[in-house]
Amino acid sequence: MASTLGATFVLLGIGIAGAITPNYDTTRDVISAAQLGPYGSLVTLGLTGGGSLTVVFASLLQRTLPPGNAIGPALLVVRGFGTLLAAAFLADLGPVRTASGLLHVVGLVGGSLAFGIGLFFLAGRMHQDETWERLAPYTVATALASLGVLGLFVALGPRYVGDTTAPLSSVGGLIQRFLTVTTWTWNLVIGAWLLMRPAPSPVQS
């Protein structure tokens, strides 16, 4: 439930703010630009809910997955706190020049990086149990896609809010939204699967 609610908060907050912010182009403009706009509180609330519930979800996942190392869930916690950083500290309009702007970027990029790496460790634990094993390939695919798109965005996308000089600045918003949908959809899928799967049978003594 925490995973599904968290992803819903993020996707709704970002989606609604992008749709109703005046003169905002979702293909060109990055999500941080919507957070600086008149309806930026929707983005902030969405990120706050998503980040908080990701931390809760990670702790639950550590207990629910087959036994193994805790690196995957720990990196999900990092993703949650990175999302909270991006919610609490606003981006700079123009090149990063304040502590708030730096923390915003660190939260978004660091959280996304932790998420992509963490999924490989989670997939390894999923392979140890037949009920989880079917989700492992999807988890690996999401990790590869998220890290690939993140690398593309960091290397060629806009470097700050309002950047028009980067090679892919005209589609920077689209790239970031694809990354956002890819990563948070994983939360939706795993959360929905956990809600719908049959409860484990009690151990017979």
Side-chain angles (χ1 to χ4, degrees), residues 1 4 10 17 21 29 40 42 52 57 85 91 95-96 102 133 136-137 157 161 165 193 202:
M1 180 67 75
T4 305
V10 171
T21 298
D29 297 326
L42 293 174
S52 301
F57 170 58
L85 269 183
V96 176
L102 178 61
E133 191 173 15
V161 176
T165 63
W193 182 80

Side-chain angles (χ1 to χ4, degrees), residues 54-203:
T54 295
V55 174
V56 174
F57 170 58
S59 65
L60 295 174
L61 202 57
Q62 169 63 15
R63 298 197 296 268
T64 306
L65 281 168
N69 68 62
I71 296 176
L75 288 173
L76 278 190
V77 171
V78 174
R79 197 272 180 98
F81 281 113
T83 305
L84 288 171
L85 269 183
F89 297 97
L90 298 181
D92 291 319
L93 184 57
V96 176
R97 62 186 183 279
T98 67
S100 175
L102 178 61
L103 289 171
H104 181 84
V105 172
V106 168
L108 284 179
V109 176
S112 296
L113 183 62
F115 174 81
I117 296 172
L119 290 196
F120 289 114
F121 291 95
L122 294 176
R125 287 179 63 174
M126 290 174 179
H127 272 301
Q128 299 173 27
D129 185 273
E130 62 180 11
T131 59
W132 280 94
E133 191 173 15
R134 71 190 73 176
L135 293 170
Y138 168 61
T139 298
V140 170
T142 301
L144 292 171
S146 65
L147 291 174
V149 176
L150 177 64
L152 178 68
F153 182 76
V154 170
L156 301 175
R159 296 172 178 81
Y160 51 83
V161 176
D163 181 16
T164 59
T165 63
L168 295 180
S169 59
S170 63
V171 290
L174 184 63
I175 295 171
Q176 190 182 27
R177 278 168 177 75
F178 181 74
L179 174 63
T180 301
V181 170
T182 298
T183 57
W184 289 100
T185 296
W186 181 85
N187 287 57
L188 286 175
V189 170
I190 300 301
W193 182 80
L194 286 170
L195 286 172
M196 294 186 297
R197 71 171 184 163
S201 301
V203 177

Side-chain angles (χ1 to χ4, degrees), residues 13 16-17 20-22 34-44:
I16 294 173
I20 65 177
T21 298
Q35 193 179 12
L36 295 172
Y39 303 103
S41 59
L42 293 174
V43 178
T44 298

